[in-house]
Amino acid sequence: MIGQNRHATRVARVTPCGRDLGAQQGWVVELEGQAKSALEIGRTRLLVTGFVFVLAFLGVAGRLVDLSLFGAAAEPARAEAPSAAELRPTRAAILDRNGEILATTLPVASVYANPHEIRDPATAAGRLATALPGLDAAQLGAKLGADRSFVWVKRHVSPREMAAVNRLGIPGVRFQREEKRVYPHGALVSQVVGLTDIDGHGIAGMERAGDQALADGHRPLRLSLDLRLQYIMAEELGAAMETFSGIGAAGLVVDARNGEIVSMVSLPSFDPSDPGAASEEARFNRASLGVYEMGSVFKLFTAAMALDAGTVRLTDGYDVTDAIRVGRYRITDYHPLRGTLSVPEILMHSSNIGTVHMAMDAGTKRLLAFYDALGLTRPAEYELPESGDPLLPTPWREVNTMTASYGHGIAVTPLQLVRAVAAVANGGELPSLTLLRREPGDATRGTRVLTEETSRQMRWLMRLVVERGTGRNAEAPGYLVGGKTGTADKLAPSGGYARNKRIATFVGAFPMDDPQYVVFAMVDEPKGIKATYGYATAGWVTAPVVGRVVDRIAPLLGISPRRGDDEMETEQRIVPVVFRGMEFAAR
């Protein structure tokens, strides 16, 4: 009762006056019922709201699980570094023998569009052409207006171009990740390394030769090239080509024993990153694909053949006074001499007449068999697809034996020539050529084509040409360079030989007491200058190139110069030969 009165008294204070106690109590009961009802409604609403939120969270969580575990193109489930396999490009790199990168693959963006999403193709094309230099707005507009769902806008764009396109914000224009082949050394090795098409398939050079292995992307392709030697050869050849206004040049450095090609240069060259700007002349590899009459360099092969066959000895000689007549043609010497020349003198003075006599004494059958053994009658076998076919007279007559003995009427590639000279100088074994680096200890035996004794005699004769003969400008003090000059008139398009158009060639080896490398240099159509008294022959043009190249590359190859008293044993102790002490123009 006390509680009820107290409660009634408290309620009465807030109720309107004039109502009796019973009415007041009924009103209180009604209020309590409404409060309970409102409370129940609130609780129900809270439960419903909470349930809705739970469902929403469950939906979001489910979607996250779906995206992270089952989504095909989702963000990674957790932040982590990509694996090595993910980072590896799809095409392997090409390296030089020392690990320098010659060709590699980098990620790049390409721009494409969905024409169905392009509202105004002409306007979009104009804006894209502004952001992407080189595009034709009219052609692009036609592509963007086509009834297709995919068209390329521009492939392999730069980061700056990508940002410019991104700022345009054109609906339907997107980017796709691709890969681009890059060549860090540009034109320096382009003739050898070659290039790929825009889809990454090899189309020239070692990119084409090793396309399958490179496409696997697992191991880099290591070449036999030495980038240091390549730079030196290219620099010296380029200087000679400029000095004598030549239209082209070629150079090679080849390991005389195992056939590794450590330098191959062809000028002019091109940048493989921009092949569209290259001329046909620049794309042409003169060192492996070009076929040329090499001239007097072939006298080395004629002398080696005759000495090995025993049809001539070093002490033998031939009268070179009179020209040799063949029908209506005459075979003469560039600088006529009178009397008898010994075999060493024939090589020193580069006598055509003396060489023809040697060849005819040995006979056509022997000469052809030896040229074939040296690989001069068939294309060189090695990795590059760009390999020229030699040009031989058909049918081969007696006159062809005469002219081929001094390098006319037969045309070969520089690579074929260098391989044959390697066999003459290295002890008589014809090496197998390669542009791939041989592993240390990989003993590759060549095919024997000469006796060791004949090769020893030929090394002395080659050294004699540089010491006292037409190749004196190839001397590199301390490195015992030996070799042979060759100057040949070029064939005229109308037939016969062109006047004042020639190929100037020098091929040498060093050191001649134990030849390690063969070095070749050729300049196409050199012109005489005042410093050479108007001459543009090999002794003036390419012999100095070989001398300078040897002087620069020998230290890099670990070959030390000989002291003055450490020269080769002179053959005059073995063969008493009297040389003519006369001066003559280098040919």
Side-chain angles (χ1 to χ4, degrees):
M1 290 297 295
I2 296 174
Q4 291 177 352
N5 292 334
R6 187 175 300 166
H7 179 71
T9 303
R10 180 169 50 85
V11 173
R13 289 175 183 173
V14 297
T15 55
C17 297
R19 293 185 180 177
D20 58 18
L21 183 60
Q24 291 177 356
Q25 289 177 343
W27 181 67
V28 170
V29 171
E30 183 180 354
L31 286 177
E32 289 178 346
Q34 291 176 355
K36 288 181 180 180
S37 177
L39 184 60
E40 290 299 326
I41 293 172
R43 287 175 178 173
T44 302
R45 288 177 177 173
L46 285 174
L47 288 174
V48 171
T49 303
F51 182 69
V52 170
F53 272 104
V54 169
L55 288 178
F57 279 114
L58 287 175
V60 172
R63 180 58 177 160
L64 288 174
V65 170
D66 176 64
L67 289 174
S68 60
L69 297 182
F70 308 107
E75 292 295 322
R78 63 184 183 278
E80 61 179 9
S83 66
E86 291 172 325
L87 291 175
R88 184 187 299 126
T90 57
R91 189 173 182 85
I94 299 178
L95 312 176
D96 88 331
R97 67 184 303 108
N98 300 312
E100 293 288 335
I101 296 175
L102 305 180
T104 190
T105 299
L106 297 178
V108 69
S110 290
V111 184
Y112 72 95
N114 182 350
H116 293 160
E117 299 178 19
I118 305 293
R119 295 182 178 180
D120 186 346
T123 301
R127 297 176 67 194
L128 286 168
T130 302
L132 300 172
L135 288 183
D136 184 283
Q139 293 180 359
L140 181 57
K143 290 171 63 176
L144 296 180
D147 186 17
R148 301 173 60 184
S149 58
F150 181 95
V151 294
W152 285 116
V153 175
K154 185 176 182 180
R155 300 182 70 179
H156 300 176
V157 298
S158 67
R160 180 173 297 177
E161 290 174 328
M162 182 179 177
V165 173
N166 221 10
R167 285 194 296 269
L168 296 177
I170 301 174
V173 176
R174 300 181 179 89
F175 299 95
Q176 179 168 308
R177 183 188 183 278
E178 291 195 292
E179 292 182 336
K180 181 180 181 180
R181 201 67 166 166
V182 295
Y183 303 92
H185 298 282
L188 183 60
V189 289
S190 60
Q191 303 286 0
V192 179
V193 174
L195 70 158
T196 63
D197 61 19
I198 197 167
D199 292 312
H201 304 129
I203 58 175
M206 290 304 294
E207 289 277 27
R208 178 181 172 188
D211 191 49
Q212 184 173 352
L214 291 167
D216 290 341
H218 297 302
R219 292 179 55 191
L221 190 65
R222 190 179 290 262
L223 304 187
S224 57
L225 286 187
D226 188 321
L227 202 59
R228 303 169 302 172
L229 274 59
Q230 186 79 355
Y231 174 81
I232 291 170
M233 176 61 81
E235 186 176 59
E236 295 293 349
L237 266 183
M241 183 175 160
E242 181 179 356
T243 298
F244 292 96
S245 302
I247 65 171
L252 289 160
V253 181
V254 174
D255 189 305
R257 300 193 181 276
N258 69 13
E260 283 186 326
I261 302 168
V262 293
S263 175
M264 177 186 282
V265 173
S266 177
L267 299 176
S269 190
F270 69 98
D271 184 353
S273 298
D274 187 17
S279 65
E280 287 297 322
E281 188 79 1
R283 286 172 172 266
F284 187 77
N285 189 342
R286 295 172 181 270
S288 67
L289 191 56
V291 178
Y292 309 96
E293 291 189 7
M294 298 291 185
S296 296
V297 173
F298 266 64
K299 291 170 184 173
L300 291 177
F301 308 140
T302 302
M305 177 272 301
L307 288 169
D308 206 56
T311 59
V312 72
R313 297 171 298 174
L314 286 177
T315 51
D316 291 339
Y318 295 96
D319 189 345
V320 299
T321 303
D322 298 323
I324 298 175
R325 293 186 176 274
V326 184
R328 60 191 180 92
Y329 299 103
R330 296 170 68 247
I331 297 175
T332 60
D333 284 336
Y334 188 67
H335 287 284
L337 298 172
R338 302 185 65 82
T340 298
L341 295 183
S342 65
V343 171
E345 288 176 311
I346 289 172
L347 269 292
M348 282 171 52
H349 295 282
S350 199
S351 170
N352 295 337
I353 297 172
T355 304
V356 169
H357 285 310
M358 269 195 290
M360 297 311 294
D361 280 354
T364 296
K365 186 176 180 179
R366 281 197 180 100
L367 185 77
L368 268 176
F370 188 60
Y371 282 4
D372 186 65
L374 290 176
L376 297 171
T377 60
R378 58 190 180 278
E381 296 181 1
Y382 74 126
E383 294 81 13
L384 278 188
E386 297 86 13
S387 183
D389 294 333
L391 299 178
L392 309 175
T394 305
W396 189 291
R397 299 185 175 92
E398 184 178 85
V399 65
N400 302 123
T401 299
M402 294 181 180
T403 58
S405 70
Y406 57 88
H408 285 257
I410 179 173
V412 298
T413 67
L415 207 55
Q416 287 179 284
L417 182 78
V418 167
R419 183 189 184 209
V421 171
V424 169
N426 70 8
E429 293 186 352
L430 186 71
S432 297
L433 296 172
T434 183
L435 269 168
L436 299 177
R437 180 186 176 185
R438 299 192 191 277
E439 295 299 324
D442 181 10
T444 55
R445 298 282 305 197
T447 303
R448 181 158 294 282
V449 294
L450 286 174
T451 65
E452 291 188 7
E453 174 61 17
T454 300
S455 179
R456 184 187 66 81
Q457 292 176 330
M458 290 305 302
R459 289 198 296 271
W460 176 70
L461 290 173
M462 291 170 69
R463 177 64 184 148
L464 194 63
V465 170
V466 174
E467 277 189 313
R468 308 187 187 186
T470 58
R472 285 176 294 180
N473 288 331
E475 186 69 277
Y479 293 113
L480 302 182
V481 179
K484 185 69 184 77
T485 53
T487 305
D489 295 329
K490 293 181 69 173
L491 291 171
S494 58
Y497 290 90
R499 294 180 60 84
N500 297 322
K501 288 187 178 182
R502 61 187 63 84
I503 297 288
T505 300
F506 186 88
V507 61
F510 77 101
M512 290 312 295
D513 58 349
D514 182 22
Q516 301 296 311
Y517 294 92
V518 177
V519 184
F520 169 92
M522 180 194 82
V523 174
D524 191 354
E525 294 190 19
K527 284 81 176 175
I529 58 176
K530 184 177 180 180
T532 63
Y533 309 101
Y535 288 109
T537 51
W540 292 107
V541 178
T542 47
V545 172
V546 171
R548 290 192 295 267
V549 167
V550 169
D551 194 54
R552 294 176 65 182
I553 70 174
L556 298 175
L557 295 169
I559 299 175
S560 301
R562 306 292 198 270
R563 299 190 305 273
D565 58 353
D566 196 24
E567 290 280 331
M568 292 176 65
E569 180 183 9
T570 174
E571 196 76 12
Q572 285 181 313
R573 296 181 183 177
I574 304 170
V575 184
V577 179
V578 178
F579 297 109
R580 296 168 180 263
M582 60 177 63
E583 294 296 324
F584 49 92
R587 177 165 175 79

